[in-house]
Amino acid sequence: MTVDRGAVGESPVVRVCSAEDDRHAAVLDAARATASSVPVVEVGPIGTVGIEPVVLVTAEGWTAYHVECSPTQTRTLVERIDEGELPTRDARYVVEHESDTRALPVPETGSLSVGRRGALAPCGWVAPTVPEDYGRLVAEDAREDPGGLCEDVDALGLLGRGRGDARHDAPLASAWEATREAEGEPVVVVNGNEPDPAADADQLLLKSAPVAVLDGALTVAAAVGATDVVVYANEADDLALERCETAADAIDDALGATVQIASGPDEYRAGEPTMALESLEGADRIEARRTPPGPEEHGLFGRPTAIHTPRTLAQLRTALLSPESFDADDADPGTRIVTVVDDADRATVELSTGSSLQTALGAVPAEDFKLACVGGCFGGFTRTLDTPANAQSLDSANLGTNGAVELFDGTRCTVALAGKRARFAREANCGRCVPCREGSKQLVALLREVYDGEYDSGSIRELTRVMRRTSTCYFGRAASRPVTTAMDAFETEFTAHASGQCLAGECTDDQRTRRPESTVES
């Protein structure tokens, strides 16, 4: 039985956390085919991959989490709830909560208990495309007092989240004022195309809470005086595109606003803000734009443009709904959404900016790690995660802020890992500026020489300094960070490689003696 309505307020109700694979489709089909009287609602992913597929069974203020469900198990669960019983046997968690809550009831233990759920609160709980499930839409209030909105956001001190945000780690309100005052008709772009394989937050929000993202975008539209919003998502993410389309239709009806959905290439560079604009304009070759002027003055088709990530917009909505939870005295108030990845698992959690990244390790069953890469593809390598999850601390530690923590054990060679990131920079850059285009080629060449017996630390550091200071966009400025941080924390591995020894034992004798494509370039 398929029920096309929201999940909030129903009791009893079965929620199936969906994703784009056959396992989830089979579980959802089994639930719908079995239910006779209880609504079955397809909700979005929770954000913890290791426990999927997840089925949540709710009745009278209690919810039972059933994880790694098969279709057979799902049919049994639905039959029991249809008979008036809350099936708690074999449940991973059982949580008591308010019957009309709009936030996922969080267990006291386990991966889902890590951090807090603010922007992530709707994920896995509300019907993704049903505005009524989300409660009050803050964009309705914003249209009535856009000036007051800018003052409120300025007082909160909110910063942009993610490399795809034109206000990446910078205050939001001042840019909105520039967009409003620039010549031309303003537009808001939701940059949801984040192909970084280690950063899942934007895709998770587009799949699980698209109405929250659009509510934030329409709030920004009110602040800058824009009449339309464009959502830019990854062309390979069919579920996100489908749900954004449906949510846009629903929220159009609710707010009388114009929302368009567009897709972009599944390429890392296409997530950079100005390259996202080039993609939206249909450019044959996607290249970074020189700034200034920035998008707030000359953006999409020359219009003043506010371009933000789903992470930024979801947090904006959360802050305006619950301003008391944000400490405006902090330099980076609010939360930071982080995806933790190891060889077997990945989980997306939301951390207070005052808490340590070490907290995120509770989300995956990780054993001791040798090193971590913090900040996504071009993040920084580190031995420890004892760093607060705020922009200032991460920047001071030369770690990235793109919302990812990748864990590597002692079998992984740091030199090889750094070499792979350098090769990716060489292959994936847009080619617009010399420091990034030529610098990444030279960086790969210098790392090859380490395998030939020559480790020239001075030349590598001078090259990376030039790339960092003179590249046109964030891609080039961050591309060398994996190499420099690997050298800072694990220089003994570089010197050992130069003498023909891989301390991790990952690189073979043959690889250590002949500048390996498979190590530095794969």
Side-chain angles (χ1 to χ4, degrees):
M1 151 179 185
T2 302
V3 181
D4 186 18
R5 63 188 183 209
V8 173
E10 291 283 356
S11 186
V13 62
V14 175
R15 292 173 172 87
V16 178
C17 302
S18 62
E20 293 174 289
D21 62 37
D22 293 340
R23 292 183 308 150
H24 291 82
V27 168
L28 181 62
D29 289 345
R32 286 176 168 169
T34 306
S36 60
S37 60
V38 174
V40 173
V41 179
E42 182 181 13
V43 297
I46 287 179
T48 302
V49 174
I51 62 174
E52 295 178 343
V54 179
V55 176
L56 306 176
V57 185
T58 300
E60 299 180 355
W62 290 87
T63 291
Y65 280 73
H66 292 271
V67 305
E68 300 181 80
C69 276
S70 67
T72 300
Q73 291 170 315
T74 302
R75 282 190 286 270
T76 301
L77 295 175
V78 174
E79 287 171 355
R80 289 167 63 187
I81 193 75
D82 255 341
E83 294 169 357
E85 174 191 356
L86 177 65
T88 58
R89 188 179 9 166
D90 300 326
R92 175 70 60 88
Y93 314 110
V94 180
V95 184
E96 185 178 15
H97 54 85
E98 296 292 332
S99 60
D100 59 350
T101 182
R102 301 183 189 279
L104 180 76
V106 178
E108 294 182 358
T109 61
S111 60
L112 291 170
S113 67
V114 174
R116 54 192 279 196
R117 291 184 83 90
L120 292 181
C123 298
W125 188 251
V126 306
T129 61
V130 179
E132 293 76 15
D133 260 16
Y134 293 78
R136 181 166 64 91
L137 298 178
V138 297
E140 295 176 327
D141 299 331
R143 288 188 302 168
E144 298 175 3
D145 186 14
L149 167 66
C150 288
E151 292 177 2
D152 290 344
V153 172
D154 188 41
L156 287 168
L158 293 178
L159 308 183
R161 295 284 188 248
R163 72 177 182 103
D165 199 296
R167 301 297 295 170
H168 180 198
D169 297 332
L172 302 178
S174 57
W176 296 349
E177 293 169 359
T179 303
R180 174 183 281 275
E181 294 171 2
E183 294 184 6
E185 184 180 353
V187 60
V188 175
V189 172
V190 180
N191 186 6
N193 188 7
E194 176 51 280
D196 191 324
D200 288 350
D202 289 332
Q203 293 89 339
L204 175 62
L205 287 166
L206 291 181
K207 293 172 185 175
S208 286
V211 170
V213 174
L214 291 178
D215 187 23
L218 291 164
T219 300
V220 176
V224 303
T227 57
D228 56 338
V229 171
V230 178
V231 179
Y232 171 68
N234 193 311
E235 65 184 4
D237 199 338
D238 293 335
L239 184 60
L241 287 166
E242 176 188 337
R243 288 190 171 163
C244 285
E245 288 273 10
T246 305
D249 290 341
I251 209 166
D252 274 358
D253 294 339
L255 295 178
T258 301
V259 179
Q260 302 175 62
I261 312 299
S263 61
D266 185 23
E267 300 175 12
Y268 181 83
R269 62 181 174 180
E272 191 277 331
T274 65
M275 285 192 260
L277 296 176
E278 290 286 300
S279 175
L280 285 169
E281 291 179 359
D284 292 332
R285 179 179 176 83
I286 301 175
E287 294 182 340
R289 295 180 180 179
R290 293 190 181 278
T291 56
E296 62 271 14
E297 298 177 44
H298 186 88
L300 186 63
F301 295 109
R303 299 166 60 182
T305 303
I307 177 168
H308 296 302
T309 59
R311 279 172 276 180
T312 298
L313 299 169
Q315 177 155 254
L316 169 65
R317 168 183 158 82
T318 303
L320 294 175
L321 287 173
S322 305
E324 68 281 355
S325 65
F326 284 71
D327 186 354
D329 293 332
D330 290 344
D332 183 5
T335 61
R336 187 170 294 277
I337 302 176
V338 175
T339 300
V340 190
V341 183
D342 67 8
D343 288 338
D345 294 287
R346 62 193 302 130
T348 300
V349 299
E350 190 168 357
L351 304 179
S352 168
T353 52
S355 63
S356 169
L357 288 176
Q358 187 78 21
T359 306
L361 294 183
V364 295
E367 302 295 335
D368 291 340
F369 63 93
K370 167 187 168 181
L371 75 161
C373 185
V374 177
C377 183
F378 293 149
F381 287 110
T382 178
R383 292 179 180 272
T384 176
L385 294 177
D386 189 20
T387 303
N390 59 67
Q392 293 74 27
S393 298
L394 292 168
D395 185 62
S396 296
N398 200 14
L399 303 176
T401 60
N402 198 35
V405 175
E406 300 168 82
L407 306 174
F408 302 96
D409 64 22
T411 66
R412 303 301 297 275
C413 172
T414 308
V415 182
L417 286 170
K420 291 174 182 178
R421 306 285 165 119
R423 180 205 177 235
F424 178 75
R426 188 193 68 179
E427 299 297 330
N429 73 81
C430 75
R432 173 68 182 270
C433 72
V434 172
C436 180
R437 183 185 68 240
E438 299 303 321
S440 57
K441 293 178 184 177
Q442 294 174 32
L443 186 57
V444 170
L446 287 169
L447 290 173
R448 284 177 176 173
E449 291 178 1
V450 175
Y451 286 83
D452 276 346
E454 182 179 353
Y455 171 46
D456 188 347
S457 173
S459 294
I460 294 174
R461 291 188 185 279
E462 175 60 19
L463 172 63
T464 57
R465 183 190 67 81
V466 172
M467 292 177 65
R468 185 171 61 252
R469 293 187 178 182
T470 61
S471 292
T472 297
C473 76
Y474 177 83
F475 185 110
R477 293 193 292 269
S480 64
R481 180 163 48 202
V483 175
T484 56
T485 53
M487 291 168 58
D488 290 340
F490 299 92
E491 191 154 29
T492 54
E493 294 200 30
F494 285 81
T495 56
H497 260 276
S499 64
Q501 181 183 12
C502 175
L503 297 183
E506 179 182 2
C507 305
T508 66
D509 290 338
D510 185 49
Q511 287 173 329
R512 289 199 299 272
T513 57
R514 61 174 183 81
R515 299 189 301 179
E517 290 289 308
S518 60
T519 300
V520 173
E521 290 206 299
S522 64

